[in-house]
Amino acid sequence: MFSIIQAAGWPIWPLVACSILALALVIERFVSLKTAKIAPPQLLEEVLNVSRTAVPTPDVVNQLAKNSALGEVLASGLRTLNSHPRCSEEELRSTMEGAGRLVAHRLEKYLTALATIASAAPLMGLFGTVVGMIEIFGSQSSAGGATGGNPAQLAQGISIALYNTAFGLIVAIPSLIFWRYFRARVDEYLLTLELASERLARHLNTLRRP
């Protein structure tokens, strides 16, 4: 592997850095976007059961907020109702929407960086190709203007061009695949959070009716 990097020349080093960064981002997102950390399947039903007759106490609400991202959104509504029992339904929904936006920002963390790597890696590979082509053209004339070319320099230019093109694609394609995967996963989580907060808002509004 090191011999390939040496043959590819200095333009490949930015691509190596991008590949390491992309791998770190993918691992981090896999760990952070686990279902148990974002939207546990039975959490909404548990919250509805606990608040069936009355709003839970602040201690219970605080524990809910620490449970997961969904718990944080649901807890924001319960916390608002605990502190302002006469708040309007619009204020309740607005509070949960604000908490949802904060959660969405966290879920989308690093996705822009991964998309940037997926877009920039082919361009970096193209830059390496251009550098290799310059090496190739430089090998066509030796010092003093005599023709005949330099075989070693020609081989070096071809290596730089081909290795950088290939490595740019090797970095870009998985980055793009994982970016689309995480993007779809985040969208699914956001829909789950939105539907859950809407259901809780209707439940709490019914709970407050005399």
Side-chain angles (χ1 to χ4, degrees):
M1 184 66 182
F2 184 70
S3 62
I4 292 176
I5 293 176
Q6 280 185 316
W10 63 265
I12 204 173
W13 287 110
L15 282 170
V16 172
C18 285
S19 67
I20 295 172
L21 179 59
L23 179 61
L25 294 179
V26 168
I27 294 174
E28 192 278 337
R29 287 293 84 190
F30 265 120
V31 172
S32 298
L33 294 179
K34 288 183 178 179
T35 302
K37 291 184 176 182
I38 308 301
Q42 301 301 321
L43 182 61
L44 176 60
E45 296 300 328
E46 293 174 3
V47 172
L48 294 178
N49 288 333
V50 170
S51 60
R52 190 167 299 279
T53 57
V55 180
T57 63
D59 291 338
V60 175
V61 173
N62 290 335
Q63 285 298 115
L64 175 63
K66 298 176 182 178
N67 176 273
S68 59
L70 175 59
E72 184 178 341
V73 174
L74 301 179
S76 66
L78 297 173
R79 190 177 288 120
T80 299
L81 208 56
N82 267 329
S83 56
H84 302 93
R86 296 183 179 275
C87 69
S88 65
E89 184 178 354
E90 289 73 18
E91 292 174 334
L92 185 62
R93 291 177 184 271
S94 177
T95 300
M96 286 194 287
E97 287 175 2
R101 283 192 291 270
L102 291 175
V103 169
H105 179 71
R106 290 205 307 270
L107 294 182
E108 294 171 350
K109 189 177 181 182
Y110 301 134
L111 291 187
T112 301
L114 193 58
T116 301
I117 292 174
S119 300
L123 297 178
M124 292 180 180
L126 180 60
F127 172 73
T129 303
V130 172
V131 173
M133 296 298 292
I134 293 173
E135 292 275 350
I136 292 172
F137 284 118
S139 70
Q140 298 307 304
S141 60
S142 59
T147 58
N150 185 334
Q153 190 175 0
L154 176 61
Q156 174 69 12
I158 294 174
S159 297
I160 292 175
L162 295 181
Y163 280 131
N164 279 276
T165 302
F167 204 78
L169 294 176
I170 290 172
V171 173
I173 293 173
S175 298
L176 179 61
I177 291 173
F178 280 114
W179 174 76
R180 287 188 177 275
Y181 169 75
F182 290 132
R183 180 73 266 173
R185 197 165 182 177
V186 167
D187 289 342
E188 183 180 351
Y189 281 142
L190 292 180
L191 178 60
T192 300
L193 266 60
E194 182 179 352
L195 295 176
S197 60
E198 179 68 22
R199 186 176 172 188
L200 180 64
R202 291 198 304 268
H203 171 75
L204 294 179
N205 190 49
T206 303
L207 185 65
R208 291 189 301 168
R209 291 174 183 172

